[in-house]
C-alpha cells in the first residue's frame, strides 16, 4: 500500500486479473513483500492474534444466532438448548463466551505494547485513534452480547449500565428510555441488543481494515522506536513475520483451548445461569472481568465535585478513562518513542500496568470501606499517568543514548553471541543493499 | 455570452441549491423513522396503568407489584415505622424533596408527603428501583429499618428516603390513587 509494488504476475490468469482488479497485487504487497522491522519481538504478534479472534467470534456468533431466540420468554431456554441439544452447541457457545475474554486479553496486551513502545506517536496518531475506536466498539459489542443469555447478570448488568445515562441531568431518563425502548430492560431491549450485537462486529471489521491500512502506510514501530532507515533494517513479512505470528497464535489458541475445554465457566459468573428476574437483584452485581477496572473507576467517585454530583462524576470519570486514550498522542511530549530508552517512563509504565490490574481487582470487590479509598487512589494514578506524567516527563527526562539504526541495535545486542558480526558493521550500517 | 462575463443567477445555480436543500431535508426526514422506532412503543406505553388489590396487607406487610417492568413496593407500615419517619428532622435528609409524582415537584420530603396522605399515612407506594443505578433494594433492612440496596450500599429509611450511600434521591413515588379502600391504581 506504500512504496512501489514488487508484484509480478506470472501466469496468464494472474496478468488478466491484475489488469482488471489487482487484488492479488494488494495481498502480495501487504502480506508477502511488505517490509517489517527485523527486531520485532513477540509483543508485536498480538495484532495477528486479534485478527484471528475476531474471525473466531464472528464465525461462532453467526452459527449461534441460528439457534438463539431473542425473546425474553425464550432466550434463556434457547441458550440451554444450545448447551444440551444442539450438536456441538456447547463447544460453539464456550468458544464464543471464552473467545470474548481472550479477545480482551489480547487487546489489553496489544494496548500495553503500544504504550510501552510509544506506538501512538507521530506519524501513527490516526493508527492509534482507530485502535481506540476498535477497543470502544469491542466493549459495546461485548456488553450487548452478555445481555443475550438473559441471566440475572445479563439483566442487572444492562440495568446498571444503561442506568449510567440517568446520571445526566434533565435528559438522562429520556436517553435511558430511548436506549431500552421502555421503562426498564425488557423484550424491546433484548431485541435491539441482539440486532446491534450482530451488526457491530462487521463494523469492527471495517475499522480493522482502516487500522491495518494506516499501519501499512506508516509501517510498524519496533522495540527501539527508531524508524526504518534502510533496507537492512527490515525483513519481508512472509516468511518472517508470518511464521512468528502463526507460532504466537498457536500458543495463544492452546491456552484458549485449555479454558474452553477444562474451565469454560471460570471467567463467567454463576448468577448468569439463573434466569433474569426483574423483581430481584443479585446480592453482588459485577460486570465481566474485562470491564472491572472501569467499573472500579465508576464506583471510586463517591464525592461531589462542585455542581457535579457523585453519580454523574463517576460516569464522567469512567468514560473519561477511555476518552483520554484518544488524545494520548498529543499528551506525550517525549521525542523518544520506546520505553527501552526512557528509564523513568519505563518505571511509570509498569506502575500503570500494576495500577490497572489493581483497579480490576478492586472492581470485583464490594464498594465499601478501604476498597473505595484504594479505588480512588488507583483512579488518581490512572489519570495522572496520562494527564501529568506523560506531558511533564517528556520535558524533563534524560533518555538513554539511542542507537543509530535498527540494524545497529540488533548487532549490538548480538555482539559476542552466535550471530557476531564484524564491529565495523555496527558503526556503518550495511551499504550493499 | 463571453467566457469571462460574470454570470447572473441562472438555472444551474437554482438546480444546485434546490438539490442541496432537498438532500438535507430529505436525509433528515429519512433518518427520523430510524431514530423514532427506538422510543418505547405503543404496547409498552399501554402497560402504563395497573390495579393492585391490597386487602390482604396487614400492618407490617408488604407486596411487590410489577409496573412498567419495574417493581412497585406497597407497604402497610406499622405505627412504629410511621412515628420513626415522622420524628426525623428534615435537615438530616440527603434529598429534601418528596419525589412524589402526586404532589408538586418541590414538595418537602415529610413523612406525610411520602405516604398516601392524611389518614392513609400507614400506606407507602414506591418504585422499587434504587435511584443510584436501578437495582432493587431489599425491604426491612439497613440501619434505618427501611430499605437497603445490595448493589452499592444505599440505605433508605421507613419512608423510602435516602439516608446513606451513593444514591442521590429518595425512592420515587409513582402516580397512584386508592380507587377503593382495598385497591390501588398505579399509573
Amino acid at each position: 500500500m506504500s512504496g512501489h509494488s514488487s508484484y509480478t504476475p506470472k501466469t496468464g490468469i494472474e496478468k488478466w486479473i491484475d489488469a482488471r482488479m489487482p487484488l492479488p497485487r494488494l495481498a502480495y504487497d501487504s502480506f508477502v513483500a511488505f517490509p517489517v522491522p527485523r527486531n520485532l519481538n513477540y509483543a508485536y504478534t498480538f495484532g495477528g492474534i486479534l485478527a484471528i479472534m475476531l474471525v473466531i467470534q464472528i464465525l461462532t456468533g453467526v452459527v449461534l444466532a441460528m439457534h438463539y431466540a431473542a425473546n425474553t420468554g425464550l432466550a434463556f431456554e434457547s441458550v440451554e438448548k444450545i448447551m444440551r441439544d444442539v450438536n456441538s452447541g456447547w463447544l460453539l457457545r464456550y468458544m464464543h463466551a471464552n473467545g470474548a475474554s481472550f479477545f480482551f486479553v489480547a487487546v489489553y496486551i496489544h494496548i500495553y505494547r503500544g504504550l510501552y513502545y510509544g506506538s501512538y506517536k507521530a506519524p501513527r496518531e490516526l493508527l492509534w485513534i482507530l485502535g481506540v475506536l476498535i477497543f470502544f466498539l469491542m466493549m459495546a459489542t461485548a456488553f450487548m452480547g452478555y445481555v443475550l443469555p438473559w441471566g440475572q447478570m445479563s439483566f442487572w448488568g444492562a440495568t446498571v449500565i444503561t442506568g449510567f445515562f440517568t446520571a445526566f441531568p434533565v435528559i438522562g431518563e429520556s436517553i435511558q428510555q430511548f436506549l431500552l425502548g421502555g421503562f426498564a430492560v425488557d423484550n424491546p431491549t433484548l431485541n435491539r441488543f441482539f440486532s446491534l450485537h450482530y451488526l457491530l462486529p462487521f463494523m469492527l471489521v471495517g475499522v480493522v481494515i482502516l487500522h491495518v491500512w494506516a499501519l501499512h502506510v506508516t509501517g510498524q514501530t519496533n522495540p527501539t522506536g527508531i524508524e526504518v532507515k534502510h533496507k537492512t533494517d527490515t525483513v519481508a513479512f512472509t516468511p518472517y513475520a508470518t511464521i512468528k505470528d502463526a507460532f504466537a497464535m498457536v500458543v495463544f489458541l492452546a491456552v484458549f483451548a485449555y479454558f474452553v475445554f477444562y474451565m469454560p465457566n471460570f471467567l463467567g459468573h454463576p448468577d448468569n445461569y439463573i434466569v433474569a428476574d426483574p423483581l430481584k437483584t443479585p446480592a453482588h452485581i459485577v460486570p465481566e472481568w474485562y470491564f472491572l477496572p472501569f467499573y472500579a473507576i465508576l464506583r471510586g467517585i463517591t464525592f461531589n465535585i462542585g455542581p457535579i454530583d457523585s453519580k454523574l462524576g463517576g460516569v464522567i470519570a469512567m468514560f473519561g478513562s477511555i476518552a483520554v486514550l484518544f488524545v494520548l498522542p498529543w499528551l506525550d511530549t517525549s521525542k523518544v518513542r520506546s520505553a527501552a530508552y526512557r528509564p523513568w517512563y519505563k518505571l511509570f509504565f509498569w506502575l500503570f500496568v500494576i495500577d490497572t490490574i489493581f483497579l480490576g481487582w478492586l472492581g470485583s470487590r464490594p464498594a465499601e470501606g478501604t476498597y473505595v479509598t484504594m479505588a480512588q487512589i488507583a483512579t488518581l494514578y490512572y489519570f495522572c499517568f496520562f494527564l501529568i506524567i506523560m506531558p511533564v516527563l517528556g520535558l524533563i527526562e534524560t533518555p538513554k543514548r539511542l542507537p543509530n539504526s535498527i540494524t545497529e541495535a540488533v548487532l549490538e545486542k548480538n555482539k559476542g553471541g552466535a550471530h557476531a558480526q564484524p564491529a565495523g558493521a555496527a558503526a556503518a550500517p550495511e551499504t550493499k543493499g | 455570452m463571453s467566457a469571462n462575463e460574470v454570470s447572473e443567477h441562472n438555472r444551474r445555480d437554482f438546480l444546485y441549491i434546490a438539490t442541496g436543500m432537498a438532500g438535507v431535508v430529505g436525509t433528515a426526514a429519512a433518518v427520523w423513522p430510524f431514530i423514532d422506532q427506538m422510543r418505547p412503543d405503543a404496547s409498552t406505553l399501554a402497560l402504563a396503568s395497573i390495579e393492585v388489590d391490597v386487602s390482604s396487607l396487614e400492618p407490617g406487610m408488604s407486596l411487590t407489584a410489577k409496573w412498567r417492568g419495574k417493581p412497585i413496593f406497597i407497604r402497610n407500615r406499622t405505627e412504629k415505622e410511621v412515628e420513626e419517619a415522622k420524628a426525623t428532622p428534615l435537615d438530616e435528609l440527603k434529598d429534601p424533596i418528596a419525589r412524589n409524582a402526586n404532589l408538586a415537584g418541590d414538595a418537602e420530603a415529610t413523612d406525610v408527603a411520602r405516604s398516601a396522605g392524611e389518614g392513609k399515612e400507614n400506606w407507602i407506594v414506591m418504585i422499587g428501583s434504587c435511584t443510584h443505578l436501578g437495582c432493587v433494594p431489599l425491604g426491612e433492612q439497613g440501619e434505618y429499618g427501611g430499605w437497603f440496596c445490595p448493589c452499592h450500599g444505599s440505605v433508605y429509611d421507613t419512608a423510602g428516603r435516602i439516608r446513606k450511600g451513593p444514591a442521590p434521591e429518595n425512592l420515587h413515588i409513582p402516580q397512584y390513587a386508592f380507587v377503593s379502600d382495598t385497591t390501588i391504581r398505579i399509573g
Side-chain angles (χ1 to χ4, degrees):
Chain A
M1 291 187 208
S2 62
H4 62 94
S5 174
S6 59
Y7 174 73
T8 39
K10 292 181 191 76
T11 64
I13 294 174
E14 283 174 316
K15 283 176 189 151
W16 188 89
I17 294 173
D18 195 52
R20 285 159 180 81
M21 213 238 346
L23 193 61
R25 177 182 293 277
L26 180 67
Y28 182 86
D29 292 341
S30 306
F31 303 111
V32 180
F34 185 69
V36 296
R38 60 188 284 183
N39 58 339
L40 295 186
N41 57 31
Y42 276 105
Y44 284 82
T45 58
F46 284 88
I49 288 170
L50 284 162
I52 195 94
M53 289 316 293
L54 180 57
V55 170
I56 289 173
Q57 288 306 88
I58 289 178
L59 285 180
T60 52
V62 166
V63 293
L64 284 170
M66 295 177 187
H67 305 281
Y68 173 77
N71 178 292
T72 51
L74 305 170
F76 188 85
E77 300 271 311
S78 74
V79 171
E80 285 311 303
K81 195 189 70 152
I82 288 169
M83 293 304 290
R84 292 148 201 263
D85 295 348
V86 174
N87 299 314
S88 302
W90 62 273
L91 177 57
L92 291 163
R93 174 162 175 269
Y94 278 154
M95 281 169 72
H96 197 71
N98 286 281
S101 279
F102 276 75
F103 206 160
F104 277 94
V105 169
V107 89
Y108 284 136
I109 297 173
H110 195 63
I111 292 170
Y112 284 138
R113 194 287 323 269
L115 286 174
Y116 187 83
Y117 291 121
S119 305
Y120 47 85
K121 285 172 177 291
R124 294 181 182 81
E125 301 95 325
L126 274 182
L127 173 60
W128 171 264
I129 288 169
L130 287 165
V132 180
L133 194 62
I134 290 170
F135 178 49
F136 189 73
L137 283 174
M138 272 176 69
M139 292 201 287
T141 310
F143 159 64
M144 286 190 267
Y146 195 58
V147 177
L148 303 185
W150 205 244
Q152 274 290 65
M153 281 296 166
S154 302
F155 184 91
W156 291 102
T159 299
V160 168
I161 290 183
T162 56
F164 294 165
F165 293 92
T166 61
F168 295 103
V170 189
I171 50 164
E173 212 139 307
S174 312
I175 295 178
Q176 191 198 21
Q177 286 178 12
F178 179 81
L179 293 173
L180 297 178
F183 304 103
V185 176
D186 211 333
N187 203 47
T189 320
L190 182 61
N191 269 309
R192 64 189 55 187
F193 279 15
F194 178 57
S195 172
L196 292 172
H197 183 70
Y198 207 118
L199 167 72
L200 287 184
F202 296 97
M203 291 177 69
L204 265 175
V205 171
V207 186
V208 167
I209 288 171
L210 296 181
H211 190 64
V212 174
W213 185 6
L215 174 74
H216 282 231
V217 171
T218 60
Q220 281 168 293
T221 56
N222 64 83
T224 66
I226 301 164
E227 289 290 349
V228 168
K229 291 175 181 165
H230 198 269
K231 218 180 161 191
T232 54
D233 289 344
T234 65
V235 290
F237 191 93
T238 301
Y240 298 97
T242 320
I243 199 71
K244 191 161 188 157
D245 279 358
F247 178 68
M249 266 177 217
V250 169
V251 173
F252 188 83
L253 290 178
V255 180
F256 172 54
Y258 184 84
F259 271 77
V260 168
F261 288 108
Y262 292 100
M263 43 205 298
N265 290 305
F266 180 76
L267 297 167
H269 198 290
D271 274 11
N272 223 28
Y273 283 106
I274 303 168
V275 68
D277 180 353
L279 301 183
K280 193 170 171 293
T281 306
H284 187 41
I285 297 182
V286 279
E288 288 281 80
W289 69 267
Y290 38 80
F291 292 141
L292 288 174
F294 304 104
Y295 195 56
I297 291 174
L298 168 83
R299 300 188 309 178
I301 312 296
T302 53
F303 44 87
N304 298 347
I305 308 159
I308 300 167
D309 69 23
S310 55
K311 183 173 160 187
L312 181 59
V315 172
I316 290 173
M318 188 191 65
F319 282 111
S321 66
I322 296 157
V324 73
L325 297 174
F326 281 102
V327 290
L328 176 61
W330 296 277
L331 291 174
D332 186 353
T333 51
S334 175
K335 291 193 167 62
V336 177
R337 206 175 263 137
S338 169
Y341 303 98
R342 299 183 60 190
W344 281 102
Y345 177 72
K346 192 191 263 183
L347 175 73
F348 286 118
F349 167 81
W350 285 111
L351 279 176
F352 176 76
V353 173
I354 293 166
D355 186 64
T356 47
I357 294 169
F358 184 53
L359 273 171
W361 177 75
L362 288 169
S364 72
R365 302 289 98 195
E368 56 196 29
T370 50
Y371 293 128
V372 178
T373 318
M374 288 193 281
Q376 286 165 347
I377 294 166
T379 302
L380 186 68
Y381 183 75
Y382 183 98
F383 283 103
C384 280
F385 178 73
F386 291 114
L387 299 175
I388 295 172
I389 293 172
M390 280 217 166
V392 174
L393 198 60
L395 301 175
I396 59 173
E397 184 183 34
T398 312
K400 289 191 203 165
R401 189 191 72 84
L402 290 170
N404 291 315
S405 71
I406 294 170
T407 307
E408 186 189 299
V410 170
L411 295 182
E412 230 168 52
K413 203 177 163 192
N414 291 341
K415 209 184 282 174
H419 307 290
Q421 300 222 351
E430 300 225 2
T431 47
K432 65 177 185 245
Chain B
M1 199 186 281
S2 77
N4 54 7
E5 189 181 325
V6 178
S7 65
E8 294 292 307
H9 293 303
N10 57 23
R11 207 167 68 124
R12 181 166 293 172
D13 291 330
F14 171 75
L15 287 175
Y16 187 70
I17 291 166
T19 309
M21 289 303 290
V24 170
V25 175
T27 305
V31 165
W32 175 245
F34 288 86
I35 295 170
D36 190 38
Q37 56 82 29
M38 296 280 282
R39 299 187 307 137
D41 66 17
S43 69
T44 304
L45 295 172
L47 297 172
S49 175
I50 56 163
E51 290 197 357
V52 185
D53 178 11
V54 294
S55 57
S56 59
L57 288 187
E58 300 291 331
M61 292 171 74
S62 314
L63 67 77
T64 303
K66 195 174 158 190
W67 176 66
R68 289 180 164 183
K70 286 179 182 169
I72 299 291
F73 295 156
I74 302 173
R75 180 163 175 81
N76 189 349
R77 298 186 294 171
T78 60
E79 266 177 39
K80 182 170 163 283
E81 288 173 340
V82 176
E83 291 314 315
E84 271 175 18
K86 275 189 173 166
T88 306
L90 287 183
D91 54 9
E92 268 184 30
L93 298 175
K94 186 177 174 187
D95 178 18
I97 298 168
R99 308 284 169 196
N100 185 338
N102 307 286
L103 300 177
D106 57 355
E108 283 189 329
T110 59
D111 184 64
V112 176
R114 296 282 303 165
S115 72
E118 300 277 356
K120 285 193 184 297
E121 283 154 338
N122 56 321
W123 290 100
I124 189 159
V125 179
M126 304 182 296
I127 299 174
S129 178
C130 181
T131 56
H132 182 226
L133 290 169
C135 298
V136 179
L138 305 168
E140 291 166 82
Q141 289 199 23
E143 60 191 273
Y144 293 91
W147 285 264
F148 171 75
C149 181
C151 290
H152 305 102
S154 294
V155 183
Y156 299 89
D157 65 13
T158 54
R161 296 176 296 198
I162 180 67
R163 300 302 288 274
K164 272 179 83 175
E169 294 172 6
N170 301 326
L171 286 176
H172 290 195
I173 294 173
Q175 262 191 351
Y176 70 95
F178 277 85
V179 289
S180 73
D181 277 348
T182 57
T183 309
I184 300 176
R185 191 183 59 229
I186 298 163

